[in-house]
């Protein structure tokens, strides 16, 4: 397994964890368990931060002049990360709607 593929799997792992936490946070808010919802959003942020760290590694390598060979798995990981970030952002807004209901 090449380095790019290994990094892609790490991004997918952490992005998936972040997305799951964000979705669970929405359910907690729906049940009026806002302390749990806030904790899960924090967990989502931490997991997405880990994914972003791996993404930044590749970006820094390319910016420093290293040639990178992007594969389909890496592109797929980027899709996962972007979607997970969007889910987290929307979860924060949905939680606020439940909180102010």
């Amino acid at each position: 397994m090449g380095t790019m593929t290994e990094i892609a799997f790490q991004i997918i792992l952490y992005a998936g964890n972040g997305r799951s936490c964000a979705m669970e946070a929405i359910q907690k808010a729906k049940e009026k368990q806002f302390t749990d919802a806030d904790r899960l959003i924090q967990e989502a942020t931490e997991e997405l931060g880990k994914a972003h760290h791996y993404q930044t590694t590749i970006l820094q390598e390319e910016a420093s002049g290293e040639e990178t060979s992007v594969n389909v798995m890496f592109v797929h990981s980027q899709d996962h990360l972007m979607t997970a970030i969007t889910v987290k952002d929307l979860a924060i807004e949905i939680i606020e709607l439940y909180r102010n209901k």
Side-chain angles (χ1 to χ4, degrees), residues 27-94:
Q27 291 306 310
K28 293 296 182 181
K30 194 175 192 181
E31 298 164 2
K32 307 269 189 253
Q33 297 175 13
F34 298 110
T35 301
D36 289 339
D38 294 339
R39 177 185 51 78
L40 285 160
I41 288 296
Q42 181 59 39
E43 284 181 37
T45 300
E46 291 168 10
E47 291 296 300
L48 293 171
K50 293 173 188 175
H52 188 262
H53 168 77
Y54 282 98
Q55 178 189 50
T56 301
T57 301
I58 296 300
L59 295 172
Q60 288 174 335
E61 286 175 7
E62 185 143 325
S64 70
E66 288 184 44
E67 190 172 320
T68 55
S69 175
V70 174
N71 60 26
V72 174
M73 189 62 70
F74 185 74
V75 172
H76 181 62
S77 75
Q78 296 306 287
D79 182 46
H80 270 275
L81 180 55
M82 290 173 54
T83 302
I85 290 169
T86 301
V87 168
K88 187 200 94 172
D89 291 345
L90 289 172
I92 290 169
E93 295 300 320
I94 292 167

